[in-house]
Amino acid sequence: MQLRSEAAVLMDSTTGAVLYSKNGNEKMYPASLTKIATAIYAIENGNLEDRVVISHNAVNTEGTRVYLEEGEVVTLHHLIQGMLINSGNDAAVAIAEHIDGDIEKFSKSFNEYLKKQIGVSNTHFSNPNGLYGEDHYTTAEDLAKITNYALKNKVFKDIFGTKELVWDGLSWDTTLFTHHQMLKGEVPYSGITGGKTGFVNESKQTLATTAENGNMKLTAIALKADYKRDIYNDTKQLLDFGFQHFKTSYLPKAKTFTVNDKTFQPEKSIVISEPLEGAVYEVTKQGELKVQTQNQDTIQVVQLKRVKEREEEPVSGEPETEDPFTRMNSLFGTIVVMAAGAVYKVTKRKRK
């Protein structure tokens, strides 16, 4: 695959398996893809019906806006819509100030949330909107993790997939349209379910896209392309690669694997990503199941549990445990023998 974007990751939205990576763990500047993280943070840490009073600081935020007015009152839910659909930097700042009081406190709480709740390892955000800063960075893989986590939330998923929305602002009444050309239909591709665009000079073009077909759901992240046409072509290549080579399937709990005379199995039925041409399973002696392609590229690792072996036979001198029916039959046999003996004695006396 020849991608023009400097970094890219294709991930199974359901399992989190990385199906393709180009510089997936390299430090990158995300631009407005930051707002994906801000949105889920606000949804999970705020009340969507809260009425937010817009500050002077939010109104004077540079970049793309939804033209909020100082003193205007907008619900948190509506601000998240304006931030994701129209990429409103002013809405992002208003959200951060409402949740945590100011940008500095927001950044501290925000980064702790991303690490503890989502499990990112190479991300640090210093603002809620993605404006450039040396200490505002992430990776393609972390962004895919954040997007997959957010997609589990229905409110986020609905907004992320919104193509247009009536915006009834104090000074700006309009219809907002998503900036994502594949979601909007300007760049045709079947199965697109959501998306977010980004651009600042330092990060160049950035793009997050989700799509699905009958076999699986995919999350594609592409970072630092020079032109929009390049980043959309890269995204189409990523999605084509995923849909043409992989599927999401189930590994049943009853499935067992044996290695070095040890047997392992899943603790429960789990969802896995598999190559369409068939998966190769490799199990380590620690019980890690590696799901691999035919070329032995690992796409997912699942921890299995060891199956307990049958208890050993009791050693000589130890009493064996009988089942209830054996004990009952033995007792019945003893009673019959005793009864027979009694009858014999009675009969013998009578003969005398």
Side-chain angles (χ1 to χ4, degrees), residues 211-329:
E212 61 182 51
N213 65 1
N215 294 324
M216 69 187 320
K217 299 176 181 179
L218 295 174
T219 298
I221 304 292
L223 303 175
K224 203 172 185 179
D226 289 327
Y227 304 104
K228 285 185 178 180
R229 66 173 180 269
D230 292 337
I231 208 160
Y232 283 107
N233 284 335
D234 286 352
T235 298
K236 289 169 71 174
Q237 285 189 68
L238 287 166
L239 295 175
D240 282 346
F241 175 78
F243 289 139
Q244 290 171 9
H245 293 90
F246 299 94
K247 66 178 180 178
T248 303
S249 59
Y250 289 87
L251 190 66
K253 182 180 178 179
K255 179 74 173 177
T256 59
F257 302 88
T258 301
V259 56
N260 293 342
D261 296 325
K262 296 178 181 178
T263 303
F264 299 92
Q265 68 181 156
E267 289 195 26
K268 58 182 179 180
S269 295
I270 56 175
V271 186
I272 60 171
S273 305
E274 285 190 323
L276 286 175
E277 66 270 20
V280 175
Y281 295 126
E282 179 184 326
V283 180
T284 68
K285 59 184 179 181
Q286 289 79 28
E288 283 188 341
L289 169 64
K290 296 179 180 180
V291 183
Q292 300 178 328
T293 66
Q294 295 294 320
N295 295 326
Q296 295 187 319
D297 294 324
T298 299
I299 58 176
Q300 190 175 357
V301 177
V302 178
Q303 182 61 54
L304 305 175
K305 71 171 183 177
R306 186 175 176 185
V307 179
K308 292 182 179 179
E309 298 178 6
R310 290 184 178 181
E311 295 185 8
E312 298 179 355
E313 293 293 325
V315 298
S316 178
E318 291 183 354
E320 294 191 14
T321 303
E322 295 180 333
D323 63 67
F325 293 103
T326 302
R327 292 197 300 271
M328 187 179 294
N329 288 337

Side-chain angles (χ1 to χ4, degrees), residues 90-246:
D90 49 356
V93 170
I95 290 168
E97 291 178 338
H98 175 71
I99 298 293
D100 290 304
D102 59 47
I103 300 300
E104 184 177 349
K105 292 178 183 176
F106 164 82
S107 179
K108 181 179 179 181
S109 179
F110 191 30
N111 287 302
E112 289 176 355
Y113 165 85
L114 293 174
K115 288 179 181 178
K116 293 179 181 179
Q117 192 67 28
I118 302 179
V120 300
S121 54
N122 298 295
T123 294
H124 182 274
F125 290 149
S126 57
N127 63 62
N129 46 39
L131 291 175
Y132 173 74
E134 281 289 343
D135 61 345
H136 190 93
Y137 58 86
T138 186
T139 67
E141 187 166 322
D142 273 0
L143 279 173
K145 286 181 182 178
I146 292 168
T147 304
N148 279 1
Y149 177 86
L151 287 170
K152 297 174 184 176
N153 184 284
K154 186 180 184 306
V155 173
F156 174 89
K157 187 176 181 180
D158 287 346
I159 300 174
F160 195 62
T162 299
K163 298 179 182 180
E164 62 180 84
L165 177 78
V166 173
W167 183 265
D168 50 351
L170 186 63
S171 63
W172 197 44
D173 290 339
T174 187
T175 298
L176 304 181
F177 294 93
T178 178
H179 297 181
H180 196 291
Q181 294 179 7
M182 294 173 79
L183 179 60
K184 192 160 39 176
E186 292 177 349
V187 176
Y189 195 92
S190 178
I192 300 296
T193 58
K196 182 75 190 76
T197 62
F199 177 85
V200 293
N201 290 330
E202 294 81 2
S203 69
K204 299 185 179 179
Q205 299 290 336
T206 64
L207 195 67
T209 310
T210 57
E212 61 182 51
N213 65 1
N215 294 324
M216 69 187 320
K217 299 176 181 179
L218 295 174
T219 298
I221 304 292
L223 303 175
K224 203 172 185 179
D226 289 327
Y227 304 104
K228 285 185 178 180
R229 66 173 180 269
D230 292 337
I231 208 160
Y232 283 107
N233 284 335
D234 286 352
T235 298
K236 289 169 71 174
Q237 285 189 68
L238 287 166
L239 295 175
D240 282 346
F241 175 78
F243 289 139
Q244 290 171 9
H245 293 90
F246 299 94

Side-chain angles (χ1 to χ4, degrees), residues 336-352:
V336 169
V337 171
M338 292 175 63
V343 170
Y344 174 76
K345 289 180 180 179
V346 171
T347 303
K348 192 174 182 180
R349 280 199 197 104
K350 287 182 178 180
R351 287 177 178 175
K352 288 182 179 181

